[in-house]
Amino acid sequence: MGEHCHCGCNHEHHHDDAQHLESMYDQALALYDFNIKDEDVKEAVKKIIAEKVPENDTPEVKKFMFGSIELTTLTTQDSAESVLKLVEKVNDFAHEYPDMPHVATIVTYPRFAKLVAESCEVEGVIPTVVSGAFPSSQALLEIKVAETALAIKDGAKNVDIVMHVGEFLAGDYETVCDEIREQKATCRDVPMKVILETGDLGSCANIKKASILSMYAGADYIKTSTGKEKVSATPEAAYVMCQAIKEYFQKTGIRVGFKPAGGINTIMDALTYYTIVKEVLGEDWLNNYYFRLGTSRLANLVLSELEGKEVKFF
């Protein structure tokens, strides 16, 4: 690879644009320390869970978490009818529980973006789609871009895409970042979450590297998982991602959101992620914009706990 030239001149350099991009990502990675031991992360997380989670086990925090839920339906059985039923529940909830916050988003496949955008009557609930050949990301870039563009045209106000895990593991960071950049260019002002599929990345060092690359390539949020792989969100992955967000913010001044998703099955799971965000990133991230929870299950669990009886609203 040719030398990097910082002289601002118009000399003919040896590296073409592709190599320039590659060097750009290499330079970004050089700013961060990836010497992370998985055991150290485990210990740090264990300490946070033991010492800090109990103090957040309050009705106020549970109410707050409810407002961060991304209510999701991503099954092969989804239809216009089933998606409409979900939206109607969100509409009804606003009337039946006036003292509760509304969920943050309704997440569907792109084909339902228009339906959600047109039928949701609750102000502030964001029509959101998974796009870019979710969950595998294994499609031509042109198709990913087209899918994203069409979803936004139909009313999607958040877009969740998947990082190309295969190319990342093969070390082709240029392709990984290029694909994220192209899709972000398509989203423009629409916030875009990049799913890292942390359960497939193999180490905390890789999770940090994927986080940093995604943010430099244009992610507005980084998200743990699709929920479609064997291993979904883990507290350890969340801890590493939040550390990466913090370091990125310190170096760039750009605040990136965080979304754990997949495998959040209990209130204690959700409280663990809330606490990690609080301890690593602090109060500035503890709002319904920068902190999201990818779990539909949590909605009924929180309601049941706050009401003191089993509630199956959603």
Side-chain angles (χ1 to χ4, degrees), residues 61-80:
V61 170
K62 285 165 195 164
K63 212 176 217 191
F64 164 78
M65 291 194 308
F66 189 93
S68 285
I69 290 172
E70 299 216 354
L71 204 61
T72 304
T73 181
L74 297 170
T75 74
T76 49
Q77 298 99 339
D78 288 345
S79 63

Side-chain angles (χ1 to χ4, degrees), residues 64-304:
F64 164 78
M65 291 194 308
F66 189 93
S68 285
I69 290 172
E70 299 216 354
L71 204 61
T72 304
T73 181
L74 297 170
T75 74
T76 49
Q77 298 99 339
D78 288 345
S79 63
E81 187 186 1
S82 68
V83 170
L84 191 58
K85 268 195 188 128
L86 184 67
V87 177
E88 281 167 354
K89 281 178 185 169
V90 172
N91 291 341
D92 292 343
F93 183 79
H95 300 298
E96 292 196 31
Y97 292 88
D99 297 335
M100 284 289 289
H102 57 65
V103 293
T105 71
I106 297 172
V107 188
T108 64
Y109 282 110
R111 62 176 294 141
F112 302 114
K114 197 169 199 281
L115 177 67
V116 175
E118 289 177 353
S119 56
C120 184
E121 295 160 7
V122 185
E123 201 178 329
V125 175
I126 303 165
T128 300
V129 296
V130 294
S131 186
F134 176 95
S136 70
S137 200
Q138 298 285 15
L140 295 168
L141 180 55
E142 293 84 348
I143 289 171
K144 295 181 186 183
V145 165
E147 185 177 37
T148 298
L150 289 167
I152 290 169
K153 184 173 139 296
D154 278 350
K157 298 287 185 231
N158 269 195
V159 171
D160 294 19
I161 67 162
V162 187
M163 177 189 81
H164 202 298
V165 175
E167 299 301 352
F168 174 84
L169 293 173
D172 185 356
Y173 302 148
E174 188 200 333
T175 295
V176 169
C177 294
D178 232 18
E179 291 206 352
I180 294 169
R181 261 173 6 111
E182 286 279 331
Q183 290 178 83
K184 180 55 197 167
T186 307
C187 289
R188 294 186 182 164
D189 296 337
V190 169
M192 184 182 82
K193 306 188 198 89
V194 177
I195 303 168
L196 308 182
E197 205 64 282
T198 51
D200 291 347
L201 297 183
S203 69
C204 288
N206 269 350
I207 292 170
K208 184 172 182 182
K209 199 173 276 188
S211 299
I212 297 296
L213 287 170
S214 297
M215 291 187 284
Y216 272 96
D220 297 296
Y221 293 77
I222 49 176
K223 173 177 166 181
T224 57
S225 329
T226 60
K228 304 290 186 187
E229 292 291 278
K230 279 200 256 328
V231 178
S232 288
T234 65
E236 290 75 20
Y239 180 82
V240 173
M241 289 167 74
C242 288
Q243 291 285 4
I245 289 170
K246 183 183 188 173
E247 289 178 40
Y248 179 76
F249 177 69
Q250 286 165 346
K251 286 182 170 51
T252 65
I254 298 167
R255 200 185 298 280
V256 171
F258 173 61
K259 178 182 173 182
I264 304 175
N265 297 321
T266 65
I267 287 182
M268 203 42 72
D269 291 340
L271 282 172
T272 298
Y273 292 116
Y274 171 92
T275 305
I276 288 168
V277 170
K278 185 179 175 183
E279 294 303 312
V280 177
L281 291 168
E283 297 290 339
D284 287 346
W285 268 265
L286 285 182
N287 58 57
N288 303 132
Y289 183 85
Y290 286 111
F291 176 55
R292 298 279 178 74
L293 287 159
T295 165
S296 296
R297 198 175 283 117
L298 190 65
N300 285 335
L301 292 175
V302 169
L303 277 180
S304 299

